[in-house]
Structures are given as structure tokens and as C-alpha cells.
Amino acid sequence: MERLDVVVVGSGPAGWAVAAACVGEGLATAVVGPKVGEVWGSTFGVWGDQVDGLPMGAKVKRATKVWGSGRELRRGYAVLDNPSVVAAFRAIGVVEVVDKVVTAEFGPRGATVVLGSGRRVACAVVVDASGFRRVLSGGPVRGTRVEQTAYGVVVRSSDVGPPVHSGEAVFMDWGLPPTFLYAVPLPGDRVLLEETSLAARPGIGWGELKDRLHARIGPVSPLAVERVRFPLDVPATPVRHRGCVPFGAAAGMVHPATGYSVGDVLATAPRVATAIAAGLARDPVTAAGAGRAAVWSPGPRVVHALRRYGLRALLGLPPRRLPEFFGAFFDLPEPLQRAYLSERERPREVAAAMLGVFRAVPWEIRRKLLVSRHSPPG
Ligand SMILES: Cc1cc2nc3c(=O)[nH]c(=O)nc-3n(C[C@H](O)[C@H](O)[C@H](O)COP(=O)(O)OP(=O)(O)OC[C@H]3O[C@@H](n4cnc5c(N)ncnc54)[C@H](O)[C@@H]3O)c2cc1C
């Protein structure tokens, strides 16, 4: 293989999004991973306005209505149709290398990526999109982490009843806090019903979540089962090599208080690719630095810190107060909800959303929110 401009490690949403964007900038780009070309196994949801970041030909299942903690949300929601999304990314012209990245050697003129098969691939810039494994960015975070966990079943739409109505998405239907029901329509007239623990350290186990789900919906014969477990408190400052751009979950881009990252990587990937392409006019180290700066510019850093505070606040609340807390959140004006949930560049609005919730909740909750800064996660 000739020397490439960019090698992307990992073929999840972050890897494909940034690789496709790099090709769009005219850069010779490869994606390396053990599962390149395979359809993602997780159900990925994004806000309706984030769908624009998907490649041409990608399909989604849009919810007809969206409910959050009992309120109707004036914002669309869509679930990715993974086979069509991956096929659309694959059609863009990225070189696919099915292999595992073991390490990479970085120098002033670029990098050499060392693969499990023994092959070595030379390139100017490496993007580490290896998810929580953070293969080139310090490895998996250690210790007991704050985790999001969920246990879900896929059933036919005709088999569900209230509070889930066919075609609609439900966030946070509270039964017995701290867990809630997350329900989304899937392609092919199916629904995912997922008992979810937003954040706990350590995460609530699948056994308990399964029992809670079955207590809620009764016995079902699922078409498929989904188990979710991932850390929320991945640092935004991974180990850095001068020729490497961490991206996606590997870069700590997962929202600390919601667990979302897919919409954000779709929106951010083109900026990262543009920055790398511009930097390559000078040299690989400049290009990688510009790519990193496009991921974590000052605005997103402040937003991330505020959201981490939000995570601490969540962890400090007694479970019985969670529905009230999220009710106050979903009563906020839509632009403030949007900023907190999915805008990386709007620190003012994110702070205003947090202040809005603080003002709206009773004093018992306010007290807990104030002292939560004394018990930081991790
Ligand atoms: C079940 C589940 C459901 C989720 N649902 C949502 C959702 O609805 N919306 C949302 O925004 N977020 C969701 N998340 C959270 C988060 O956005 C996802 O974890 C998302 O997959 C992160 O994307 P990523 O591309 O950064 O990492 P990943 O999707 O984890 O991709 C990492 C890639 O790196 C590859 N890799 C690993 N090691 C190596 C190696 N040594 N060499 C080469 N390649 C390697 C892997 O094979 C994989 O392809 C969910 C998470 C889970 C686990």
C-alpha cells in the first residue's frame, strides 16, 4: 500500500464519519479495524437535526413523536438504519483494512501504523477512533467508572402498549427510579424497549435491569436483545502523540450526562477533516495538531466541563427525586434543552440550561446539586 494521508483506527460511527470526511477533502484515507465493513451491532439514536451529518444513501427511522419524562419534546429523533448507514460510508471510497492496530510510531514526517498481522502502514496522520479501547490514546480508562447500562428487547410494534405508541420515541418513562424506559421505533416495524440506568458507579447490572424491564412490560418473546454498558467519565484529554488525533469515544467525546456521541461525531468530523487537510499543506505534525484543536476547541472544553458537573449532580441526587429533576429539564425552553443535550459550541446556553433547572427545582434538590461538586466522579 502506498503512503496514505490518513489512517483511521476503528470502524464505529466516529471512524467512518471522519474517514468519509477526509476522503471528501481529497485525502487518501484508510480505515483499519477487525470489523471494517461489518454492520454496527448497537442501536444508535440521534436528534432529528443531526441526521444531516449522515452520508447520502443512509436511512433512518424517524419517531413520529418524542416524549421526555412525560413531556412532548419539540425535537425530532431518529434511529440509524445501520446496514444502510455503513453501506453509504463504504461507498465513499475509503480504503478498508481488516486488521487490528497494535501500535503506531510517530515522527516529524508522519506515522507508521503497526498491525496485528505484522503489516506496517505509513501515513501522515493517524486518527484514533478505537472507542473506549483508546488503542493509541492511553488505553481503556481504569478503575471503577461511572457507567451507563441498559438491557433492552426488540419486539414487534404491534406487541407494545402504553406508554409506548407505535412510531413514537419515549425517553425516561419512570417506573421505579433510578432506571427508566427508553423506547424507540426501529426499521422494519419493530420497537426497542430498554430499561436504562443513565449513570451509576459502578453501573447497574444487566440482571437487575432485565428484572425491572420484565416487571414493567410483562413476559415477551424478544426478536433480539441489546445489552449496553460503557463508561461516561472518559477524560477529554487522552494521551497524545504528535501525529495522532483522538476522535469519538476515544477522545472523550461521549456526553458525560447522556452517553451520546454519534450526533456529535457526525457534526464534528467534517471540521476535523478540513483542519487536517489544511495542516497537511505544512506538515503532518501541524495537521494532527489542527485536527485535535478541531475536536477540543475552547468552547467544547467548557461545555464538557459543565456537563461533567451535570453528571456529578445526577450522581448526588436521591433516586426518588430524579423524575422531578428531569421534569424540570424538559420544561426548559427548547433551545436550552438542545444546547445541554447536543451543542458542543454553546457554553452560555449550556450554563443557562443548568441554571434554569436549578431555579425550577425545590430546595432539597438544589442543596444536593450544590454539594455535588464535592464528590467528583473518578
Ligand atoms: C449498545 C450501545 C448503544 C448506544 N447507543 C447510543 C445512541 O443511541 N446514541 C449515541 O449517541 N450513543 C450511543 N452509545 C454510546 C456511544 O456513542 C457509542 O459507544 C459509539 O459506538 C461510540 O462510537 P465510536 O465510533 O467512538 O466507538 P466504537 O463504536 O466503539 O468503535 C470503535 C471501533 O474501534 C475498533 N477497534 C477497537 N480496537 C481496535 C484495534 N486494536 N485496532 C483497530 N480497530 C479497533 C472497534 O472494532 C470498533 O470498530 C451507545 C453505546 C452502546 C454500547
Side-chain angles (χ1 to χ4, degrees):
M1 195 185 297
E2 284 180 20
R3 187 178 193 270
L4 293 153
D5 294 317
V6 180
V7 167
V8 177
V9 183
S11 57
W16 273 115
V18 76
C22 287
V23 170
E25 290 289 339
L27 304 175
T29 307
V31 173
V32 185
K35 295 184 182 167
V36 175
E38 283 183 28
V39 174
W40 305 320
S42 308
T43 306
F44 291 131
V46 297
W47 295 102
D49 41 281
Q50 296 175 320
V51 164
D52 296 345
L54 289 168
M56 272 233 293
K59 294 185 192 137
V60 296
K61 176 76 179 178
R62 283 184 191 271
T64 51
K65 277 188 185 174
V66 185
W67 302 92
S69 228
R71 282 84 172 155
E72 186 177 348
L73 308 186
R74 302 273 166 218
R75 193 176 180 193
Y77 193 73
V79 174
L80 307 195
D81 172 49
N82 289 348
S84 76
V85 176
V86 172
F89 276 130
R90 295 187 75 192
I92 283 172
V94 178
V95 176
E96 296 180 19
V97 181
V98 181
D99 213 325
K100 213 171 149 177
V101 171
V102 178
T103 186
E105 294 154 8
F106 296 95
R109 287 192 299 276
T112 302
V113 180
V114 182
L115 308 183
S117 61
R119 282 174 72 192
R120 296 165 68 85
V121 182
C123 62
V125 172
V126 183
V127 177
D128 181 4
S130 61
F132 300 105
R133 287 181 188 275
R134 307 198 309 161
V135 173
L136 302 177
S137 308
V141 284
R142 293 183 197 288
T144 308
R145 311 313 303 185
V146 180
E147 292 174 309
Q148 182 165 121
T149 53
Y151 178 90
V153 292
V154 177
V155 296
R156 298 205 182 285
S157 308
S158 51
D159 292 342
V160 297
V164 184
H165 298 278
S166 185
E168 299 182 0
V170 177
F171 287 96
M172 298 192 154
D173 183 77
W174 298 97
L176 182 62
T179 67
F180 58 86
L181 178 72
Y182 165 80
V184 286
L186 301 179
D189 210 23
R190 297 167 307 142
V191 181
L192 172 68
L193 304 170
E194 209 152 72
E195 191 72 24
T196 304
S197 161
L198 191 62
R201 181 170 53 191
I204 297 179
W206 288 321
E208 182 177 345
L209 293 166
K210 183 178 177 182
D211 290 346
R212 282 172 169 252
L213 181 66
H214 285 144
R216 185 194 284 277
I217 63 171
V220 287
S221 311
L223 303 170
V225 167
E226 175 165 273
R227 292 179 181 83
V228 181
R229 177 182 289 277
F230 61 89
L232 289 172
D233 54 347
V234 176
T237 48
V239 170
R240 291 195 178 132
H241 305 285
R242 54 188 175 166
C244 184
V245 183
F247 191 62
M253 285 178 74
V254 170
H255 191 308
T258 69
Y260 277 62
S261 74
V262 177
D264 274 353
V265 300
L266 293 173
T268 312
R271 273 178 252 160
V272 174
T274 305
I276 292 174
L280 280 177
R282 285 190 63 185
D283 61 81
V285 173
T286 304
R292 287 195 299 270
V295 178
W296 285 118
S297 51
R301 279 184 188 282
V302 175
V303 165
H304 193 75
L306 289 168
R307 288 169 172 172
R308 272 180 78 95
Y309 188 92
L311 172 62
R312 291 198 283 273
L314 266 182
L315 293 172
L317 285 179
R320 67 188 164 79
R321 305 310 299 250
L322 288 171
E324 239 174 311
F325 176 81
F326 282 102
F329 178 80
F330 287 119
D331 282 338
L332 288 173
E334 197 271 336
L336 297 189
Q337 291 183 36
R338 177 188 296 254
Y340 188 79
L341 292 174
S342 59
E343 310 240 333
R344 298 180 79 231
E345 305 277 351
R346 294 186 187 275
R348 261 176 221 275
E349 287 82 352
V350 172
M354 295 170 76
L355 194 60
V357 171
F358 183 78
R359 284 200 180 120
V361 293
W363 262 109
E364 192 202 336
I365 298 185
R366 285 189 196 173
R367 248 194 317 274
K368 297 279 183 195
L369 296 179
L370 285 172
V371 298
S372 63
R373 68 196 163 94
H374 299 300
S375 54

